[in-house]
Amino acid sequence: MFDHANFDDCHRAIMVGCGGRPFTMFRIHDQTTVPEIVGLDIVPEAVETANRLAAKLNYTRLRAELCNGCHYDYGAAQIVYVASMVSPKAAVVSRIADTAPDGVQIILWEPCSFALLWSESAERELDPRLEVIGRTSISRNMTRDVFVRRRAAVTHEPQR
């Protein structure tokens, strides 16, 4: 992820589906200087556990919120990471396309092969406003990161 996404100018990173053990959020905290890292989850216990772990580790740049990613406003985000177990994943990604700024970097933790039996793929139903610009190799847990951006606007030259 850190080889493909630029965290240098990121002021807010959003982790959709942070879970109670927010490893990805902690990695972003430990490996970047992003001032605000927000985790979203629909499970109250996961949010509470993530916030307790962040407090215990004195990770003041990190917090979790009880929120469905389908309803969040991504307008202030520069990077959005969508976890593998998020559902409905394609709808969350469409919401990101609806509300995020033009330069947002979207990272999808996508299932591959056998993992498609228990995780949804947003890449297979990718919002037509978005395009895949890169992928990592498939990991041993049958997932990979897929990097997505908003499609460039198509301009048509007038016919002469």
Side-chain angles (χ1 to χ4, degrees), residues 1-2 5-15 28-29 31-38 61 74 76-81 101 103-107:
M1 165 175 62
F2 297 102
N6 181 3
F7 287 85
D8 293 341
D9 295 323
C10 181
H11 301 288
R12 178 183 281 174
I14 307 295
M15 172 77 196
I28 293 169
H29 181 278
Q31 295 181 11
T32 72
T33 58
V34 174
E36 186 178 14
I37 304 162
V38 180
R61 299 182 290 129
Y74 298 91
Q78 288 75 47
I79 294 179
V80 181
Y81 191 100
V104 69
Q105 299 174 79
I106 305 167
I107 306 163

Side-chain angles (χ1 to χ4, degrees), residues 86-138:
V86 168
S87 179
K89 198 171 195 179
V92 169
V93 175
S94 288
R95 176 66 178 174
I96 296 166
D98 288 342
T99 63
D102 282 341
V104 69
Q105 299 174 79
I106 305 167
I107 306 163
L108 308 175
W109 188 5
E110 284 287 284
C112 301
S113 184
F114 215 38
L116 288 162
L117 295 175
W118 56 83
S119 295
E120 293 179 23
S121 171
E123 182 179 9
R124 290 179 169 202
E125 300 176 41
L126 193 61
D127 187 298
R129 295 172 289 177
L130 303 171
E131 65 181 338
V132 173
I133 57 171
R135 295 176 183 88
T136 60
S137 58
I138 298 172

Side-chain angles (χ1 to χ4, degrees), residues 64-82:
E65 297 178 5
L66 183 64
C67 182
N68 185 320
C70 288
H71 306 297
Y72 191 77
D73 182 349
Y74 298 91
Q78 288 75 47
I79 294 179
V80 181
Y81 191 100
V82 182

